[in-house]
Coordinates of all heavy atoms in Angstrom, one line a residue:
Y1 N 211.1 60.2 -54.1 CA 211.0 61.2 -55.1 C 211.8 60.8 -56.4 O 212.8 60.2 -56.3 CB 211.7 62.5 -54.6 CG 210.8 63.2 -53.6 CD1 211.2 63.3 -52.3 CD2 209.7 63.9 -54.0 CE1 210.4 64.0 -51.4 CE2 208.9 64.6 -53.1 CZ 209.3 64.7 -51.8 OH 208.6 65.4 -50.9
T2 N 211.2 61.2 -57.5 CA 212.0 61.1 -58.7 C 212.5 62.5 -59.0 O 212.0 63.5 -58.4 CB 211.1 60.6 -59.9 OG1 210.0 61.6 -60.1 CG2 210.6 59.2 -59.7
L3 N 213.5 62.7 -59.9 CA 214.1 64.0 -60.1 C 213.0 65.0 -60.5 O 213.1 66.2 -60.0 CB 215.2 63.9 -61.1 CG 215.9 65.2 -61.4 CD1 216.6 65.7 -60.0 CD2 217.0 65.1 -62.4
D4 N 212.1 64.7 -61.3 CA 211.1 65.7 -61.7 C 210.1 66.0 -60.6 O 209.2 66.9 -60.8 CB 210.4 65.2 -63.0 CG 209.6 63.9 -62.8 OD1 209.9 63.1 -62.0 OD2 208.6 63.8 -63.6
K5 N 210.1 65.2 -59.5 CA 209.2 65.5 -58.4 C 209.9 66.0 -57.2 O 209.3 66.0 -56.1 CB 208.4 64.2 -58.1 CG 207.5 63.7 -59.2 CD 206.4 64.7 -59.5 CE 205.6 64.2 -60.7 NZ 204.7 65.2 -61.2
L6 N 211.2 66.3 -57.3 CA 212.0 66.7 -56.2 C 211.9 68.2 -56.0 O 212.3 69.0 -56.8 CB 213.4 66.3 -56.4 CG 214.4 66.6 -55.3 CD1 214.0 65.8 -54.0 CD2 215.8 66.3 -55.7
P7 N 211.3 68.7 -54.9 CA 211.2 70.1 -54.6 C 212.5 70.6 -54.2 O 213.0 70.3 -53.1 CB 210.1 70.2 -53.5 CG 210.2 68.9 -52.8 CD 210.6 67.9 -53.8
I8 N 213.1 71.4 -55.0 CA 214.4 72.0 -54.7 C 214.4 73.4 -55.3 O 213.9 73.7 -56.4 CB 215.6 71.2 -55.3 CG1 216.9 71.8 -54.8 CG2 215.5 71.1 -56.8 CD1 218.1 70.9 -55.1
L9 N 215.0 74.4 -54.5 CA 215.1 75.7 -55.0 C 216.5 76.0 -55.3 O 217.4 75.8 -54.5 CB 214.6 76.7 -53.9 CG 214.7 78.2 -54.2 CD1 213.8 78.5 -55.4 CD2 214.3 79.0 -53.0
M10 N 216.8 76.4 -56.6 CA 218.1 76.7 -57.1 C 218.3 78.1 -57.3 O 217.6 78.7 -58.1 CB 218.4 75.9 -58.4 CG 218.3 74.4 -58.2 SD 218.4 73.6 -59.8 CE 216.8 74.0 -60.5
I11 N 219.2 78.8 -56.5 CA 219.5 80.2 -56.7 C 220.7 80.2 -57.5 O 221.8 79.8 -57.1 CB 219.6 80.9 -55.4 CG1 218.3 80.8 -54.6 CG2 220.0 82.4 -55.6 CD1 218.3 81.4 -53.2
M12 N 220.6 80.7 -58.8 CA 221.7 80.6 -59.8 C 222.2 82.0 -60.1 O 221.5 82.9 -60.4 CB 221.2 79.9 -61.0 CG 220.8 78.5 -60.8 SD 220.1 77.7 -62.2 CE 218.3 78.1 -62.0
S13 N 223.5 82.1 -60.2 CA 224.2 83.3 -60.7 C 224.1 83.2 -62.2 O 224.7 82.3 -62.8 CB 225.7 83.3 -60.3 OG 226.3 84.3 -60.9
H14 N 223.3 84.1 -62.8 CA 223.1 84.1 -64.2 C 224.2 85.0 -64.9 O 224.0 86.2 -65.2 CB 221.7 84.6 -64.5 CG 221.3 84.5 -65.9 ND1 220.3 85.2 -66.5 CD2 221.8 83.7 -66.9 CE1 220.1 84.9 -67.7 NE2 221.0 84.0 -68.0
R15 N 225.3 84.4 -65.1 CA 226.4 85.0 -65.7 C 226.2 85.3 -67.2 O 225.3 84.7 -67.8 CB 227.7 84.2 -65.5 CG 228.1 83.9 -64.1 CD 228.6 85.1 -63.3 NE 229.7 85.8 -64.0 CZ 231.0 85.5 -63.7 NH1 231.3 84.6 -62.8 NH2 231.9 86.2 -64.3
G16 N 227.0 86.2 -67.7 CA 226.9 86.6 -69.1 C 225.8 87.6 -69.5 O 225.5 87.8 -70.6
T17 N 225.2 88.1 -68.5 CA 224.1 89.1 -68.7 C 224.8 90.5 -68.8 O 226.0 90.7 -68.6 CB 223.0 89.1 -67.7 OG1 223.6 89.3 -66.4 CG2 222.3 87.7 -67.7
E18 N 224.0 91.6 -69.0 CA 224.5 92.9 -69.1 C 225.4 93.3 -67.9 O 225.1 93.0 -66.7 CB 223.4 93.9 -69.1 CG 223.8 95.3 -69.5 CD 222.7 96.3 -69.7 OE1 221.6 95.8 -70.1 OE2 222.9 97.5 -69.5
G19 N 226.6 93.8 -68.2 CA 227.6 94.1 -67.2 C 228.6 93.1 -66.9 O 229.5 93.3 -66.1
E20 N 228.5 91.9 -67.6 CA 229.5 90.8 -67.4 C 230.8 91.2 -67.9 O 231.0 91.6 -69.1 CB 229.0 89.6 -68.2 CG 230.0 88.5 -68.2 CD 230.2 87.9 -66.9 OE1 229.3 87.4 -66.2 OE2 231.4 87.9 -66.4
P21 N 231.9 91.2 -67.1 CA 233.2 91.6 -67.5 C 234.0 90.5 -68.2 O 235.0 90.8 -68.9 CB 233.9 92.0 -66.2 CG 233.2 91.1 -65.2 CD 231.8 91.0 -65.6
I22 N 233.5 89.3 -68.2 CA 234.2 88.2 -68.8 C 233.4 87.7 -70.0 O 232.3 87.1 -69.9 CB 234.4 87.0 -67.8 CG1 235.2 87.5 -66.6 CG2 235.1 85.8 -68.5 CD1 235.2 86.5 -65.4
C23 N 233.9 88.0 -71.2 CA 233.1 87.7 -72.4 C 232.9 86.3 -72.6 O 231.9 85.9 -73.3 CB 233.8 88.4 -73.7 SG 235.4 87.7 -74.0
A24 N 233.7 85.4 -72.1 CA 233.5 83.9 -72.3 C 232.2 83.5 -71.5 O 231.7 82.4 -71.8 CB 234.7 83.2 -71.7
Q25 N 231.7 84.3 -70.6 CA 230.5 83.9 -69.9 C 229.2 84.2 -70.7 O 228.1 83.6 -70.4 CB 230.4 84.6 -68.6 CG 231.5 84.3 -67.6 CD 231.3 82.9 -67.0 OE1 230.2 82.3 -67.1 NE2 232.3 82.5 -66.2
V26 N 229.3 85.0 -71.7 CA 228.1 85.5 -72.4 C 227.3 84.3 -73.1 O 226.1 84.2 -73.0 CB 228.5 86.6 -73.4 CG1 227.3 87.0 -74.3 CG2 229.0 87.8 -72.6
P27 N 228.0 83.4 -73.8 CA 227.2 82.4 -74.5 C 226.5 81.5 -73.5 O 225.3 81.1 -73.7 CB 228.3 81.5 -75.2 CG 229.4 82.5 -75.4 CD 229.4 83.4 -74.2
M28 N 227.1 81.2 -72.4 CA 226.4 80.4 -71.4 C 225.2 81.2 -70.8 O 224.1 80.6 -70.6 CB 227.3 80.0 -70.2 CG 226.7 79.0 -69.3 SD 226.2 77.5 -70.1 CE 225.1 76.8 -68.9
G29 N 225.4 82.5 -70.5 CA 224.3 83.3 -70.0 C 223.1 83.3 -71.0 O 222.0 83.3 -70.6
Q30 N 223.4 83.4 -72.3 CA 222.4 83.4 -73.3 C 221.7 82.1 -73.4 O 220.5 82.0 -73.6 CB 222.9 83.8 -74.6 CG 223.4 85.2 -74.7 CD 224.2 85.5 -76.0 OE1 224.7 84.6 -76.6 NE2 224.3 86.8 -76.3
A31 N 222.4 81.0 -73.1 CA 221.8 79.6 -73.2 C 221.0 79.2 -72.0 O 220.2 78.3 -72.1 CB 222.9 78.6 -73.5
T32 N 221.3 79.8 -70.8 CA 220.8 79.3 -69.6 C 219.2 79.2 -69.6 O 218.7 78.1 -69.3 CB 221.3 80.1 -68.4 OG1 222.7 80.0 -68.3 CG2 220.6 79.6 -67.1
P33 N 218.5 80.2 -70.0 CA 217.0 80.1 -70.0 C 216.5 78.9 -70.9 O 215.6 78.2 -70.5 CB 216.5 81.4 -70.4 CG 217.6 82.4 -70.1 CD 218.9 81.6 -70.3
G34 N 217.1 78.8 -72.0 CA 216.7 77.7 -72.9 C 217.0 76.3 -72.4 O 216.3 75.4 -72.6
L35 N 218.2 76.2 -71.7 CA 218.5 74.9 -71.1 C 217.5 74.6 -70.0 O 217.0 73.4 -69.9 CB 219.9 75.0 -70.5 CG 221.0 75.0 -71.5 CD1 222.4 75.3 -70.8 CD2 221.1 73.7 -72.2
L36 N 217.1 75.6 -69.2 CA 216.1 75.3 -68.2 C 214.8 74.9 -68.8 O 214.1 74.0 -68.3 CB 216.0 76.5 -67.2 CG 217.2 76.8 -66.3 CD1 217.1 78.1 -65.7 CD2 217.4 75.7 -65.3
D37 N 214.4 75.6 -69.8 CA 213.2 75.2 -70.6 C 213.2 73.8 -71.1 O 212.3 73.1 -70.9 CB 212.9 76.2 -71.7 CG 212.6 77.6 -71.3 OD1 212.1 77.8 -70.1 OD2 212.7 78.5 -72.1
A38 N 214.4 73.4 -71.7 CA 214.5 72.1 -72.3 C 214.4 71.0 -71.2 O 213.9 69.9 -71.4 CB 215.8 72.0 -73.0
L39 N 214.9 71.4 -70.0 CA 214.9 70.4 -68.9 C 213.6 70.5 -68.1 O 213.4 69.8 -67.1 CB 216.0 70.7 -67.9 CG 217.4 70.4 -68.4 CD1 218.5 71.0 -67.5 CD2 217.6 68.9 -68.6
E40 N 212.7 71.4 -68.6 CA 211.4 71.6 -68.0 C 211.5 72.0 -66.5 O 210.7 71.5 -65.6 CB 210.5 70.4 -68.1 CG 210.2 70.1 -69.6 CD 209.2 68.9 -69.8 OE1 208.9 68.2 -68.8 OE2 208.9 68.6 -71.0
I41 N 212.5 72.8 -66.2 CA 212.7 73.4 -64.9 C 212.2 74.9 -64.9 O 212.7 75.7 -65.7 CB 214.1 73.4 -64.5 CG1 214.6 71.9 -64.3 CG2 214.3 74.1 -63.2 CD1 216.1 71.8 -64.0
A42 N 211.1 75.1 -64.2 CA 210.6 76.5 -64.1 C 211.6 77.4 -63.5 O 212.4 77.0 -62.6 CB 209.3 76.5 -63.3
Y43 N 211.6 78.7 -63.8 CA 212.5 79.6 -63.2 C 211.9 81.0 -63.2 O 210.9 81.3 -63.9 CB 213.8 79.7 -64.0 CG 213.7 80.1 -65.4 CD1 213.9 81.4 -65.8 CD2 213.5 79.2 -66.4 CE1 213.8 81.8 -67.1 CE2 213.4 79.6 -67.7 CZ 213.5 80.9 -68.1 OH 213.4 81.3 -69.4
I44 N 212.4 81.8 -62.3 CA 212.0 83.2 -62.1 C 213.3 84.0 -62.3 O 214.4 83.6 -61.9 CB 211.4 83.3 -60.7 CG1 210.2 82.5 -60.5 CG2 211.1 84.8 -60.4 CD1 209.7 82.4 -59.0
H45 N 213.1 85.2 -62.9 CA 214.2 86.0 -63.2 C 213.9 87.4 -62.7 O 213.5 88.3 -63.4 CB 214.4 86.1 -64.7 CG 215.6 86.7 -65.2 ND1 215.9 87.1 -66.5 CD2 216.7 87.1 -64.5 CE1 217.0 87.6 -66.6 NE2 217.6 87.7 -65.4
P46 N 214.1 87.6 -61.4 CA 213.8 89.0 -60.8 C 214.7 90.0 -61.4 O 215.8 89.8 -61.7 CB 214.0 88.8 -59.3 CG 214.8 87.5 -59.1 CD 214.6 86.7 -60.4
Q47 N 214.1 91.2 -61.5 CA 214.9 92.3 -62.1 C 215.5 93.3 -61.1 O 216.4 94.1 -61.4 CB 214.0 93.1 -63.0 CG 213.4 92.2 -64.1 CD 214.5 91.6 -65.0 OE1 215.4 92.3 -65.5 NE2 214.5 90.3 -65.1
T48 N 215.0 93.3 -59.8 CA 215.5 94.2 -58.8 C 215.8 93.4 -57.5 O 215.2 92.3 -57.3 CB 214.5 95.3 -58.4 OG1 213.4 94.7 -57.8 CG2 214.1 96.1 -59.7
P49 N 216.7 93.9 -56.7 CA 217.0 93.2 -55.4 C 215.7 93.1 -54.5 O 215.5 92.1 -53.9 CB 218.0 94.1 -54.7 CG 218.7 94.8 -55.9 CD 217.7 95.0 -56.9
E50 N 214.9 94.1 -54.6 CA 213.6 94.1 -53.8 C 212.7 93.0 -54.3 O 212.1 92.3 -53.4 CB 212.9 95.4 -53.9 CG 213.7 96.6 -53.3 CD 214.8 97.2 -54.2 OE1 214.8 96.9 -55.4 OE2 215.7 97.8 -53.6
E51 N 212.6 92.8 -55.6 CA 211.8 91.7 -56.1 C 212.4 90.4 -55.7 O 211.7 89.5 -55.4 CB 211.7 91.9 -57.6 CG 210.9 90.9 -58.3 CD 210.8 91.0 -59.8 OE1 211.7 91.7 -60.4 OE2 210.0 90.4 -60.4
A52 N 213.7 90.2 -55.8 CA 214.4 89.0 -55.4 C 214.1 88.6 -54.0 O 213.8 87.5 -53.6 CB 215.9 89.0 -55.7
L53 N 214.2 89.6 -53.1 CA 214.0 89.4 -51.7 C 212.6 88.9 -51.4 O 212.4 88.1 -50.4 CB 214.4 90.7 -50.8 CG 215.8 91.0 -50.7 CD1 216.0 92.3 -50.1 CD2 216.6 89.9 -50.0
K54 N 211.7 89.4 -52.1 CA 210.3 89.0 -52.0 C 210.0 87.6 -52.5 O 209.3 86.8 -51.9 CB 209.3 90.0 -52.6 CG 207.9 89.7 -52.5 CD 207.0 90.7 -53.2 CE 205.6 90.5 -53.1 NZ 205.0 89.4 -53.8
L55 N 210.6 87.3 -53.7 CA 210.4 86.1 -54.4 C 211.1 84.9 -53.8 O 210.6 83.8 -54.0 CB 210.7 86.2 -55.9 CG 209.8 87.1 -56.7 CD1 210.4 87.3 -58.1 CD2 208.5 86.5 -56.8
I56 N 212.2 85.0 -53.2 CA 213.0 83.9 -52.8 C 212.2 83.0 -51.8 O 212.0 81.8 -52.0 CB 214.4 84.2 -52.3 CG1 215.3 84.7 -53.5 CG2 215.1 83.1 -51.6 CD1 216.6 85.3 -53.2
P57 N 211.7 83.6 -50.7 CA 210.9 82.8 -49.7 C 209.7 82.2 -50.4 O 209.3 81.1 -50.1 CB 210.5 83.8 -48.6 CG 211.5 84.9 -48.7 CD 211.9 85.0 -50.2
E58 N 209.0 83.0 -51.2 CA 207.8 82.5 -51.9 C 208.1 81.4 -52.8 O 207.3 80.4 -53.0 CB 207.1 83.6 -52.7 CG 206.5 84.7 -51.8 CD 206.0 85.9 -52.6 OE1 206.1 85.9 -53.8 OE2 205.5 86.9 -51.9
S59 N 209.3 81.4 -53.5 CA 209.7 80.4 -54.4 C 209.9 79.0 -53.8 O 209.6 78.0 -54.4 CB 211.0 80.8 -55.2 OG 210.7 82.0 -55.9
W60 N 210.4 79.0 -52.6 CA 210.6 77.7 -51.9 C 209.2 77.1 -51.7 O 209.0 75.9 -52.0 CB 211.3 77.9 -50.5 CG 211.1 76.6 -49.8 CD1 210.4 76.4 -48.6 CD2 211.5 75.3 -50.2 NE1 210.4 75.1 -48.3 CE2 211.1 74.4 -49.2 CE3 212.3 74.8 -51.3 CZ2 211.4 73.0 -49.3 CZ3 212.5 73.4 -51.3 CH2 212.1 72.6 -50.3
L61 N 208.2 77.9 -51.3 CA 206.8 77.3 -51.2 C 206.3 76.8 -52.5 O 205.7 75.8 -52.5 CB 205.9 78.4 -50.6 CG 206.2 78.8 -49.2 CD1 205.3 80.0 -48.8 CD2 206.0 77.7 -48.2
L62 N 206.6 77.5 -53.6 CA 206.1 77.1 -54.9 C 206.8 75.7 -55.3 O 206.1 74.8 -55.8 CB 206.5 78.1 -56.0 CG 205.6 79.4 -56.0 CD1 206.2 80.4 -57.0 CD2 204.2 79.1 -56.3
A63 N 208.1 75.6 -55.0 CA 208.8 74.4 -55.3 C 208.2 73.2 -54.5 O 208.0 72.1 -55.0 CB 210.3 74.5 -55.1
E64 N 208.0 73.5 -53.2 CA 207.5 72.5 -52.3 C 206.1 72.1 -52.6 O 205.8 70.9 -52.7 CB 207.6 73.0 -50.9 CG 207.3 71.9 -49.8 CD 207.6 72.5 -48.4 OE1 207.2 73.6 -48.1 OE2 208.1 71.7 -47.6
L65 N 205.2 73.0 -52.9 CA 203.8 72.7 -53.2 C 203.7 72.0 -54.6 O 202.9 71.1 -54.8 CB 203.0 74.0 -53.2 CG 202.7 74.6 -51.8 CD1 202.0 75.9 -52.0 CD2 201.9 73.6 -50.9
G66 N 204.6 72.4 -55.5 CA 204.5 71.8 -56.9 C 205.3 70.5 -56.9 O 205.2 69.8 -57.9
G67 N 206.1 70.2 -55.9 CA 206.9 69.0 -55.9 C 207.8 69.0 -57.1 O 208.1 67.9 -57.7
A68 N 208.4 70.1 -57.4 CA 209.3 70.2 -58.6 C 210.4 71.2 -58.4 O 210.3 72.1 -57.6 CB 208.5 70.6 -59.8
P69 N 211.5 71.1 -59.1 CA 212.6 72.1 -59.0 C 212.1 73.4 -59.5 O 211.2 73.5 -60.4 CB 213.7 71.5 -59.9 CG 213.4 70.1 -60.2 CD 211.9 70.0 -60.0
L70 N 212.7 74.5 -58.9 CA 212.4 75.8 -59.4 C 213.7 76.6 -59.3 O 214.4 76.5 -58.3 CB 211.4 76.5 -58.5 CG 211.0 77.9 -58.7 CD1 210.4 78.1 -60.1 CD2 210.1 78.4 -57.7
G71 N 214.1 77.4 -60.3 CA 215.3 78.1 -60.3 C 215.0 79.6 -60.2 O 213.9 80.1 -60.6
I72 N 215.9 80.3 -59.6 CA 215.9 81.8 -59.6 C 217.2 82.2 -60.2 O 218.3 81.9 -59.7 CB 215.8 82.3 -58.1 CG1 214.5 81.8 -57.5 CG2 215.9 83.8 -58.1 CD1 214.3 82.3 -56.0
L73 N 217.1 82.9 -61.3 CA 218.2 83.5 -62.0 C 218.5 84.9 -61.6 O 217.7 85.8 -61.7 CB 218.0 83.5 -63.5 CG 217.7 82.2 -64.2 CD1 217.4 82.4 -65.7 CD2 218.9 81.3 -64.1
L74 N 219.7 85.1 -61.0 CA 220.1 86.4 -60.5 C 221.3 86.9 -61.4 O 222.3 86.3 -61.4 CB 220.6 86.3 -59.1 CG 219.5 85.9 -58.1 CD1 220.0 85.9 -56.7 CD2 218.3 86.9 -58.1
D75 N 221.0 88.0 -62.1 CA 222.0 88.6 -63.0 C 223.2 89.0 -62.2 O 223.2 89.2 -61.0 CB 221.4 89.7 -63.8 CG 220.4 89.3 -64.8 OD1 220.3 88.1 -65.1 OD2 219.6 90.2 -65.3
I76 N 224.3 89.3 -63.0 CA 225.6 89.7 -62.4 C 225.4 91.0 -61.5 O 226.2 91.1 -60.5 CB 226.7 89.9 -63.4 CG1 228.0 90.0 -62.8 CG2 226.4 91.1 -64.3 CD1 229.2 89.8 -63.7
S77 N 224.5 91.8 -61.8 CA 224.3 93.0 -61.0 C 223.9 92.7 -59.5 O 224.1 93.5 -58.7 CB 223.2 93.9 -61.6 OG 222.0 93.2 -61.7
F78 N 223.4 91.5 -59.3 CA 223.0 91.1 -57.9 C 224.3 90.7 -57.1 O 224.2 90.7 -55.9 CB 222.1 89.9 -57.9 CG 220.7 90.3 -58.3 CD1 220.3 90.4 -59.6 CD2 219.7 90.5 -57.3 CE1 219.0 90.8 -60.0 CE2 218.4 90.9 -57.6 CZ 218.1 91.0 -59.0
W79 N 225.4 90.4 -57.8 CA 226.6 90.0 -57.0 C 227.5 91.1 -57.0 O 228.5 91.2 -56.4 CB 227.2 88.7 -57.7 CG 226.1 87.7 -58.0 CD1 225.5 87.4 -59.2 CD2 225.5 86.8 -57.1 NE1 224.6 86.5 -59.1 CE2 224.6 86.0 -57.8 CE3 225.7 86.6 -55.7 CZ2 223.8 85.1 -57.2 CZ3 224.9 85.6 -55.1 CH2 223.9 84.9 -55.9

């Protein structure tokens, strides 16, 4: 595998979003989607816990079938 063909599922704490108590996290949270886009890493940003629970198992299949990394961004409200 090369890095762009490595199926990996990354579940990421998307800090700096609404409700973030640490203001220093906000710039990184704002930059995260753009960084993933620049790295050509697809990502999913579920809005509810129910949506996340449905998407996580499906996302592994997408990463595996696509032979590429896939990220799931979970806002601070998930933690």
Side-chain angles (χ1 to χ4, degrees):
Y1 284 110
T2 61
L3 184 58
D4 64 331
K5 298 295 180 192
L6 183 63
I8 185 169
L9 181 60
M10 299 175 286
I11 299 176
M12 297 176 268
S13 175
H14 189 198
R15 299 292 302 267
T17 57
E18 187 173 336
E20 173 64 59
I22 302 171
C23 63
Q25 295 287 350
V26 174
M28 187 62 199
Q30 292 171 338
T32 299
L35 289 170
L36 292 170
D37 290 339
L39 293 168
E40 297 181 355
I41 296 175
Y43 62 92
I44 298 168
H45 190 192
Q47 300 302 305
T48 65
E50 295 78 21
E51 184 182 11
L53 287 172
K54 180 180 184 289
L55 289 173
I56 290 171
E58 294 172 0
S59 297
W60 167 245
L61 293 174
L62 288 173
E64 191 174 38
L65 291 172
L70 178 63
I72 298 178
L73 296 178
L74 297 178
D75 292 345
I76 194 166
S77 62
F78 283 82
W79 311 103

